Amino acid sequence: MRPLSVVLTLLPLLIFGECEGPCDICSMSIARSQLGAKASEVRPFSVTGTVTARAAASGDSDICRFFLYDQTGFGELFCDRAIVPEPGKVVAVRGVIAPIAGHPFPVLFARSIVTVGTSRQPTPRTVSADQLGDGNMTYRTVRVCGHVNDVRSDTDGSARMSLSVDGRDTTVLLPDGHSFRPLVGARISLVGVRLPPVADAPNEPR
């Protein structure tokens, strides 16, 4: 069976900010290093990399999230739905690292996304349930094998799969426009992007 391309789990966030001033944050590794502490200011960034996946951001239909990698590492970014890039595209991104109300850490928000080419997706690493849970695979492209327990639709129109990997339940966010219900009861292989555990949605900025 051909592997299914999906995104694993979903982290809902609301974001804001404007891109101003010079961008001295110019790689994913530097950008991600700025996300581990509280910050009150909006800081610009500029990175170029390959898009591995994209998905809607829960709680705001006008915001999407996408996942990017460059030679220094992987990361998660947010943008307006109108400019969200397609997987496999190499894009030049300018935006801001912005704090968000009700959430302890800032996020990467893209204001300008320019496609500069195409690239192969990173080679997925086949992982176990233990490897999925240890945090080392966060934002990376992974391949898992498991048993489909259920497929359900959420109130916002998205669909999720309950997949048993090595006896542990894993939530898979499914792409739109496909019917996965016939896979219930089957054992499948799929490729996706491993995201952090689901966090509480922050309050909307006022």
Side-chain angles (χ1 to χ4, degrees), residues 71-136:
Q71 293 181 340
T72 69
F74 295 73
E76 177 182 36
L77 299 90
F78 296 81
C79 68
D80 291 335
R81 177 179 293 276
I83 63 171
V84 62
E86 296 180 0
K89 299 294 185 182
V90 179
V91 294
V93 181
R94 290 180 64 87
V96 292
I97 300 176
I100 51 178
H103 197 270
F105 303 115
V107 298
L108 298 170
F109 182 50
R111 288 299 191 191
S112 170
I113 302 174
V114 178
T115 299
V116 298
T118 58
S119 177
R120 292 183 178 180
Q121 295 281 38
T123 301
R125 177 177 174 179
T126 300
V127 297
S128 66
D130 287 340
Q131 290 171 313
L132 275 179
D134 66 13
N136 292 329

